């Protein structure tokens, strides 16, 4: 058995008086897809953000491929790029073309040549079905298209793990499936993924494990079948009764 790709070990974090992450122990294996669900305010986004050190933690440790992310500097930029992140709001660079959005990081952080970065970017844009829009600006694309560009941009850094924080929550309903389809494909190719989502269909078909959070804690953790068919805690039962 190789060691897990992501190790969270006794992680605690406070925002002032709010104990937002409480004794989080969570490992993600290579090629594993973990779906994180839970009510609003339960700490899901904060958990994601600690994994790539957008948020510091107060206690415990987080290892990516055996290493902690350094606190700052060039090394942080390099190692943080090992953790790709896709947010609810697509966060593309508004004044750069789609192609530039995807090539900027690999050139700046990975030291790729422009040519090499562009060739790879076009491959990735092809993969998410946007290659014919490469010269457009983000505002010219639909929300679903922009989110697929955001996925391509994250993949362009050759991350070891991809984090998705409610990637379809800001999309019009008809655009949700085009983004979920790309994510399902990544999952089936063996991409290591942590996905915060309310899309239970995705969880059922892509997750190996569902992690249920409430009040800053991991309350329950199980296979999707077991979790959805037979949740063990009252809090999970209550949550599922409201969303299913
Ligand atoms: P979720 O993603 O599950 O909805 P979050 O991780 O966004 O939950 O938030 C968990 C709790 O932490 C919420 O009560 C939220 O208001 C609070 N919180 C999030 N970010 C900050 C911050 N930067 N400063 C203070 N409180 C925060
Ligand atoms: Mg959130």
């Amino acid at each position: 058995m190789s060691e897990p790709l992501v190790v969270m070990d006794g992680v605690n974090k406070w925002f002032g008086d709010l104990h937002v992450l409480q004794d989080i122990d969570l490992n993600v294996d290579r090629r594993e897809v973990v779906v994180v669900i839970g009510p609003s305010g339960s700490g899901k986004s904060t958990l994601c953000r600690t994994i790539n050190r957008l948020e510091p933690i107060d206690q415990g440790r987080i290892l990516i491929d055996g290493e902690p992310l350094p606190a700052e500097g060039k090394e942080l930029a390099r190692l943080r790029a090992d953790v790709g992140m896709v947010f609810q709001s697509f966060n593309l660079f508004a004044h750069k073309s789609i192609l530039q959005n995807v090539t900027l990081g690999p050139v700046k952080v990975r030291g790729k040549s422009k040519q090499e970065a562009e060739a790879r970017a076009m491959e990735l844009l092809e993969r998410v079905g946007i290659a014919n829009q490469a010269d457009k600006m983000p505002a010219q694309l639909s929300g679903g298209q922009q989110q697929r560009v955001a996925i391509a941009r994250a993949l362009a850094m050759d991350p070891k793990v991809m984090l998705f924080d409610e990637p379809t929550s800001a999309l019009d309903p008809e655009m949700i499936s085009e983004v979920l389809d790309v994510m399902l494909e990544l999952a089936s190719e063996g991409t290591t993924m942590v996905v915060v989502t309310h899309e239970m269909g995705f969880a059922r078909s892509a997750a190996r494990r569902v992690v249920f959070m409430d009040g800053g804690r991991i309350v329950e953790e199980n296979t999707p079948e077991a979790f959805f068919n037979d949740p063990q805690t009252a809090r999970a039962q209550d949550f599922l009764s409201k969303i299913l």
Side-chain angles (χ1 to χ4, degrees):
M1 267 301 278
S2 63
E3 66 176 342
L5 188 48
V6 178
V7 172
M8 300 184 81
D9 186 9
V11 171
N12 281 275
K13 178 176 177 64
W14 284 262
F15 285 122
D17 290 338
L18 177 66
H19 195 175
V20 63
L21 295 179
Q22 306 189 29
D23 302 322
I24 301 286
D25 294 318
L26 177 67
N27 291 348
V28 183
D29 286 328
R30 281 156 222 278
R31 304 175 69 83
E32 187 180 26
V33 178
V34 173
V35 165
V36 180
I37 68 174
S40 177
S42 56
K44 306 179 299 294
S45 293
T46 306
L47 178 112
C48 280
R49 293 165 62 84
T50 62
I51 295 177
N52 65 358
R53 225 174 198 289
L54 282 175
E55 291 285 357
I57 59 175
D58 298 306
Q59 283 173 9
R61 59 180 195 148
I62 301 178
L63 305 178
I64 308 295
D65 206 3
E67 287 185 77
L69 294 195
E72 53 190 16
K74 260 219 151 84
E75 273 295 275
L76 174 60
R78 187 178 67 78
L79 288 170
R80 181 180 274 161
D82 287 344
V83 184
M85 180 125 184
V86 175
F87 301 89
Q88 179 175 344
S89 53
F90 332 120
N91 292 351
L92 296 179
F93 306 116
H95 303 291
K96 307 243 178 245
S97 73
I98 297 308
L99 183 64
Q100 287 170 327
N101 263 276
V102 183
T103 57
L104 206 64
V107 170
K108 278 199 162 167
V109 177
R110 292 293 198 215
K112 287 195 181 176
S113 71
K114 184 164 173 251
Q115 221 176 9
E116 193 187 357
E118 284 184 355
R120 171 85 172 126
M122 288 310 296
E123 249 175 58
L124 289 167
L125 288 173
E126 188 80 49
R127 202 160 140 197
V128 301
I130 311 280
N132 56 351
Q133 321 267 2
D135 295 324
K136 291 194 177 164
M137 301 301 280
Q140 294 173 277
L141 270 55
S142 72
Q145 290 173 325
Q146 289 188 53
Q147 194 60 304
R148 285 183 281 149
V149 173
I151 294 172
R153 182 176 63 174
L155 291 172
M157 301 295 268
D158 298 319
K160 291 175 178 170
V161 52
M162 286 283 285
L163 308 179
F164 293 86
D165 188 4
E166 300 201 27
T168 60
S169 297
L171 297 176
D172 292 333
E174 72 271 21
M175 292 172 188
I176 290 176
S177 65
E178 66 191 49
V179 171
L180 291 178
D181 285 347
V182 168
M183 292 169 62
L184 280 168
E185 199 175 305
L186 292 176
S188 73
E189 290 164 0
T191 311
T192 308
M193 296 163 66
V194 176
V195 183
V196 179
T197 186
H198 298 298
E199 295 294 333
M200 297 305 140
F202 175 85
R204 279 179 184 274
S205 49
R208 196 173 86 193
R209 203 151 40 108
V210 171
V211 167
F212 173 70
M213 286 187 76
D214 193 20
R217 289 183 184 280
I218 294 177
V219 173
E220 198 164 328
E221 204 179 321
N222 220 327
T223 61
E225 300 75 46
F227 179 76
F228 291 117
N229 297 337
D230 188 20
Q232 299 296 305
T233 61
R235 286 196 273 182
Q237 288 160 8
D238 180 55
F239 176 76
L240 288 174
S241 73
K242 286 174 184 149
I243 61 160
L244 292 180

